């Protein structure tokens, strides 16, 4: 697990050491154990390393002079042992114990076809000097991030946007369409990011960049290829058991200890049970709850699971002040504009776990893969009404996160004119085969949009901000393919989602645990973003440059008054605050970094 960065200049120019050094410094938090740079004519590669597999021999950039290869990689190739055994039969022997080296040997034998053989979470850059090309690749589900930008003289890439901002010659400009998507839908999905010109390498994609900096896109995996299957409950349970066991064994490969983020729900409980079953006893587990609120949490349920499996369990009970102070650091860590209040407790959990471990398991993906969300099975009347009012996606992902009142009064002219805020959801829905069920389409749409560009942003960035790797076994692509292929009747029955997963997991868990209703993980921001704090935030927002540029600041006092009176406005005020902080961090004070417990108001705008 690491941070990677680099660029390829157009032919005839040589890479500058200081450029790549700036990019590497911006990613230091992702790799506190080691760092390295490789310069070769127009090429520059860098890595900051968090050492997890091949502790002594995994230094990068990794070079193979005989082949003309240079590699920087982020993440884990979980099936590297099996691949290495097969590659030895073809004359390729690993020199190190690092899983990243396997990428080079697999490429030597199979070329780009090697991508379909890799199982894991990864983003890498592989330079092939003989073919004069640079390959940027990202794992199938987008667990690990990878961004790129085309500049006047080069193509540059990095694990995080902030590393690219360090070499862009002009101040970054926000993209109006992406900004509108963030405000209305919590995140901006697809290739487009909030920074104009910076794009994502898509999940399941490789970019092939030639010596003239021309880019060819190669899609090596897509959920669209998953065919529906007719399986009985017994057949599906047997297949899930074998697949989950294999995936967990591979995910347990590590040269350092690991723990679990234990929420009290189904998915993290299943991971804890499987880790215990496969011999990982004495696990450290971590849970979080809240003080100063009437909102319930899952601390008691998590404690029961921890006691059942005799884990070394830590509970963090967070108060209003600790969460509010975490906001600037979480905006810096997220890198992208993404409004998920759960980033705040996740960041605090990551800081706690990162002081003791380098790896934690987390249950992300279970709901998308096995259809756990209620939004995948809405009442028929609700689906028809939403589809009629907002056509194009079967009534799915239609609702704006902002009240229409505040869109009309707060949005500036450029935001009002920006179009296409639902486009990623519409595109995903409409490209699905005609024979797919409505439930499968909903899963696919989320897997393509909300999963990589919202949920996994939280998991990767909040953890890596404290040098902590998050492993998400439910997103092993074989499990994803199984979950998508299942008949709807094995995904949900009545009000019960994740039916097959729960049926299989029931013998592993304490009696009654799976009968608890799904509650989700909620942060009581509405209870806290009020009163004097809301008023102070409003005053600072009115004085912030980015808010002037994009919004009608005359409406901010009314928004604050509504928030103080308990008449909504939490998401709207929080979104404005995020933009103001982001602008302060990355435009007005580039290279700055808040402390994890800084004063929130200091990062919205300078004191009057």
């Amino acid at each position: 697990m690491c941070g990677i960065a680099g660029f390829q200049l157009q032919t005839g120019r040589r890479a500058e050491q200081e450029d790549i050094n700036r990019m590497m410094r911006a990613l230091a938090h992702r790799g506190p154990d080691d760092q390295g740079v490789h310069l070769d004519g127009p090429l520059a590669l860098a890595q900051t390393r968090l050492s997890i597999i091949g502790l002594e021999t995994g230094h990068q950039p990794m070079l193979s002079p005989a082949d003309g290869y240079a590699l920087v990689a982020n993440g884990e190739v979980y099936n590297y042992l099996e691949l290495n055994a097969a590659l030895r039969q073809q004359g390729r022997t690993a020199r190190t114990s690092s899983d990243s080296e396997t990428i080079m040997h697999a490429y030597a034998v199979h070329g780009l076809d090697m991508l379909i053989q890799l199982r894991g979470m990864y983003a890498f850059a592989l330079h092939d000097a003989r073919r004069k090309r640079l390959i940027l690749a990202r794992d199938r589900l987008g667990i690990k991030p990878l961004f790129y930008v085309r500049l006047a003289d080069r193509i540059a890439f990095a694990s995080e946007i902030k590393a690219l901002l360090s070499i862009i010659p002009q101040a970054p400009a926000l993209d109006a369409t992406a900004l509108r998507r963030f405000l209305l839908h919590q995140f901006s999905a697809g290739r487009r990011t909030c920074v104009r010109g910076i794009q994502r390498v898509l999940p399941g994609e490789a970019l092939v960049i030639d010596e003239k900096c021309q880019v060819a896109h190669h899609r090596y995996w897509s959920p669209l290829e998953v065919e529906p299957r007719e399986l009985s409950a017994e057949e599906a349970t047997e297949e899930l058991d074998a697949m989950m066991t294999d995936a967990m064994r591979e995910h347990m490969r590590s040269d350092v200890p690991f723990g679990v983020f234990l929420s009290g729900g189904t998915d993290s409980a299943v991971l804890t049970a499987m880790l215990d079953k496969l011999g990982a006893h004495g696990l450290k587990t971590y849970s979080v709850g809240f003080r100063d609120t009437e909102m319930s949490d899952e601390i008691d349920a998590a404690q029961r699971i921890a006691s059942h499996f005799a884990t070394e369990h830590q509970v963090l009970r967070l108060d209003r002040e600790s969460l509010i102070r975490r906001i600037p650091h979480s905006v810096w860590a997220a890198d992208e504009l993404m409004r998920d209040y759960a980033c705040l407790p996740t960041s605090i959990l990551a800081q706690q776990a990162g002081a003791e471990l380098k790896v934690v398991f987390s249950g992300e993906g279970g709901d998308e893969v096995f259809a756990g969300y209620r939004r995948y099975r809405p009442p028929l009347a609700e689906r028809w009404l939403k589809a009629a009012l907002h056509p194009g996606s079967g009534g799915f992902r239609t609702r704006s996160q902002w009240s229409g009142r505040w869109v009309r009064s707060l949005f500036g002219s450029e935001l009002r004119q920006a179009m296409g805020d639902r486009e990623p959801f519409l595109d995903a829905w409409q490209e699905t085969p005609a024979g797919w069920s409505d439930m499968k389409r909903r899963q696919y749409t989320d897997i393509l949009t909300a999963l990589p560009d919202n949920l996994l942003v939280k998991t990767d960035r909040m953890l890596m901000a404290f040098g902590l790797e998050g492993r998400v076994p439910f997103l092993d692509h074989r499990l994803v393919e199984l979950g998508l292929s299942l008949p709807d009747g094995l995904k949900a029955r009545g009000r019960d989602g994740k039916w097959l997963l729960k049926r299989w997991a029931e013998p592993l868990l304490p009696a009654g645990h799976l009968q608890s209703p799904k509650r989700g993980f909620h942060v009581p921001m509405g209870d806290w973003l009020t009163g004097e704090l809301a008023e102070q935030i409003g005053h600072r927002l009115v004085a912030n440059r980015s808010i002037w540029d994009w919004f009608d600041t005359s409406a901010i006092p009314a928004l604050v008054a509504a928030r103080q009176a308990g008449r909504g406005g939490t998401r709207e005020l929080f979104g404005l605050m995020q933009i103001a902080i982001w602008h302060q961090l990355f435009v007005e004070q580039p290279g700055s970094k808040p402390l994890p417990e800084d004063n929130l108001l200091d990062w919205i705008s300078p004191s009057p």
Side-chain angles (χ1 to χ4, degrees):
M1 187 65 68
C2 310
I4 63 171
F7 51 83
Q8 179 163 302
L9 292 157
Q10 292 176 356
T11 306
R13 302 198 59 206
R14 298 188 66 82
E16 295 288 339
Q17 180 86 40
E18 182 50 35
D19 287 345
I20 196 65
N21 285 348
R22 285 201 304 274
M23 299 180 78
M24 188 167 59
R25 285 194 294 270
L27 299 174
H29 55 284
R30 295 185 67 93
D33 295 332
D34 189 20
Q35 63 182 33
V37 168
H38 171 68
L39 298 176
D40 183 11
L43 175 74
L45 300 176
Q47 190 216 40
T48 62
R49 186 177 183 222
L50 181 66
S51 305
I52 292 173
I53 292 177
L55 303 184
E56 302 299 326
T57 60
H59 176 77
Q60 294 188 31
M62 199 167 278
L63 307 178
S64 178
D67 300 308
Y69 302 156
L71 172 80
V72 287
N74 168 32
E76 310 289 353
V77 177
Y78 293 123
N79 64 330
Y80 74 104
L81 295 177
E82 292 80 4
L83 287 176
N84 283 347
L87 290 165
R88 278 195 296 272
Q89 301 300 314
Q90 300 181 68
R92 306 293 305 193
T93 302
R95 298 176 291 104
T96 74
S97 54
S98 169
D99 58 297
S100 295
E101 186 185 355
T102 304
I103 296 170
M104 292 195 296
H105 292 298
Y107 174 75
V109 173
H110 301 290
L112 283 179
D113 289 342
M114 62 93 175
L115 290 164
I116 63 174
Q117 300 184 37
L118 304 181
R119 293 201 294 269
M121 53 177 189
Y122 51 81
F124 66 80
L126 174 63
H127 185 249
D128 182 342
R130 291 180 180 174
R131 297 186 184 181
K132 297 182 179 179
R133 65 183 189 178
L134 176 66
I135 298 162
L136 307 180
R138 193 175 178 201
D139 66 70
R140 293 168 176 84
L141 279 304
I143 304 169
K144 293 292 101 186
L146 190 57
F147 301 92
Y148 69 101
V149 64
R150 180 184 292 277
L151 302 176
D153 62 346
R154 74 190 72 187
I155 298 240
F157 68 89
S159 296
E160 296 186 12
I161 289 172
K162 58 177 69 72
L164 294 175
L165 294 180
S166 73
I167 65 164
I168 290 178
Q170 68 279 350
L174 286 170
D175 181 289
T177 296
L179 182 59
R180 184 181 170 99
R181 288 175 183 173
F182 154 69
L183 292 166
L184 299 187
H185 300 291
Q186 187 170 302
F187 61 96
S188 175
R191 198 176 295 282
R192 207 166 190 158
T193 73
C194 61
V195 181
R196 195 178 301 163
I198 295 181
Q199 302 185 76
R200 299 180 184 96
V201 177
L202 297 180
E205 179 182 61
L207 270 53
V208 181
I209 304 167
D210 67 18
E211 60 183 327
K212 297 179 181 178
C213 291
Q214 299 300 306
V215 179
H217 297 267
H218 172 68
R219 188 75 179 266
Y220 68 90
W221 184 83
S222 170
L224 290 173
E225 299 167 2
V226 178
E227 297 285 346
R229 299 168 63 196
E230 291 300 324
L231 294 172
S232 68
E234 290 72 24
E235 290 170 331
T237 302
E238 183 178 348
E239 194 167 324
L240 174 58
D241 182 66
M243 201 173 288
M244 192 72 188
T245 300
D246 192 38
M248 287 299 296
R249 284 196 175 119
E250 290 184 357
H251 278 70
M252 290 170 68
R253 289 173 176 169
S254 171
D255 294 335
V256 297
F258 44 76
V260 182
F261 280 174
L262 187 55
S263 69
T266 297
D267 302 328
S268 62
V270 166
L271 297 183
T272 304
M274 286 298 293
L275 288 167
D276 183 81
K277 178 181 177 181
L278 296 174
H281 305 304
L283 284 169
K284 291 180 183 289
T285 53
Y286 305 84
S287 297
V288 66
F290 307 106
R291 300 190 184 103
D292 308 332
T293 180
E294 296 180 1
M295 183 180 287
S296 61
D297 55 38
E298 297 186 333
I299 289 294
D300 291 342
Q303 184 64 64
R304 285 195 296 273
I305 293 296
S307 298
H308 184 82
F309 293 106
T311 71
E312 185 181 324
H313 191 54
Q314 297 183 44
V315 176
L316 279 67
R317 292 194 178 273
L318 309 178
D319 59 18
R320 173 182 182 269
E321 184 67 16
S322 63
L323 269 292
I324 295 299
R325 282 187 168 274
R326 185 62 54 141
I327 291 171
H329 188 272
S330 73
V331 172
W332 171 86
D335 204 45
E336 304 182 62
L337 283 169
M338 185 274 287
R339 186 197 56 75
D340 185 346
Y341 306 143
C343 285
L344 304 174
T346 301
S347 171
I348 296 173
L349 272 178
Q351 185 176 17
Q352 178 71 20
E356 304 173 320
L357 299 169
K358 288 186 177 182
V359 178
V360 291
F361 281 71
S362 189
E364 276 77 11
D367 285 301
E368 289 81 1
V369 172
F370 293 104
Y373 294 124
R374 292 189 181 96
R375 63 177 179 260
Y376 293 162
R377 47 188 195 284
L380 191 59
E382 176 188 327
R383 187 169 67 223
W384 282 352
L385 178 61
K386 288 183 176 180
L389 293 174
H390 306 281
S393 61
F396 187 56
R397 292 283 180 184
T398 60
R399 190 175 61 131
S400 167
Q401 298 276 321
W402 271 44
S403 161
R405 171 192 176 187
W406 301 118
V407 170
R408 290 188 294 273
S409 63
L410 278 165
F411 275 22
S413 60
E414 195 169 354
L415 279 176
R416 288 197 302 271
Q417 293 168 17
M419 305 296 289
D421 50 271
R422 288 186 61 223
E423 187 175 315
F425 310 129
L426 296 174
D427 289 347
W429 186 274
Q430 292 171 13
E431 69 187 7
T432 56
W436 278 20
S437 71
D438 186 84
M439 183 182 293
K440 185 174 178 180
R441 285 193 175 95
R442 288 170 180 249
Q443 288 176 274
Y444 171 79
T445 300
D446 269 358
I447 286 171
L448 220 66
T449 58
L451 181 67
D453 299 328
N454 184 58
L455 187 63
L456 292 174
V457 173
K458 176 193 70 178
T459 305
D460 176 79
R461 303 311 191 279
M462 295 305 117
L463 272 61
M464 289 304 294
F466 296 98
L468 183 67
E469 172 177 294
R471 295 193 173 183
V472 285
F474 285 112
L475 293 178
D476 182 293
H477 77 275
R478 296 166 298 177
L479 287 170
V480 175
E481 291 172 352
L482 173 64
L484 284 174
S485 73
L486 293 173
D488 285 358
L490 297 185
K491 297 175 186 177
R493 294 192 178 182
R495 297 177 61 84
D496 194 14
K498 289 194 283 201
W499 184 85
L500 177 67
L501 181 66
K502 292 178 179 178
R503 181 184 194 268
W504 165 77
E506 192 167 14
L508 299 171
L509 298 174
H513 182 79
L514 295 175
Q515 279 65 59
S516 301
K518 180 176 177 60
R519 289 188 293 184
F521 184 74
H522 301 287
V523 179
M525 191 56 64
D527 293 351
W528 296 335
L529 198 62
T530 186
E532 183 181 355
L533 176 62
E535 184 175 355
Q536 291 174 326
I537 290 170
H539 287 319
R540 297 298 181 100
L541 288 174
V542 170
N544 184 273
R545 276 179 50 196
S546 62
I547 303 303
W548 300 342
D549 291 342
W550 294 97
F551 302 94
D552 183 347
T553 57
S554 67
I556 290 177
L559 174 64
V560 170
R563 180 80 289 280
Q564 291 176 313
R567 299 194 306 270
T570 305
R571 292 169 176 169
E572 292 85 350
L573 188 60
F574 199 90
L576 293 178
M577 181 174 61
Q578 281 186 287
I579 292 170
I581 294 170
W582 190 96
H583 197 267
Q584 193 85 345
L585 287 167
F586 296 114
V587 179
E588 296 174 50
Q589 300 180 36
S592 58
K593 178 182 177 181
L595 296 173
E597 296 183 352
D598 265 359
N599 186 329
L600 165 67
L601 298 174
D602 290 344
W603 288 99
I604 298 177
S605 72
S607 299

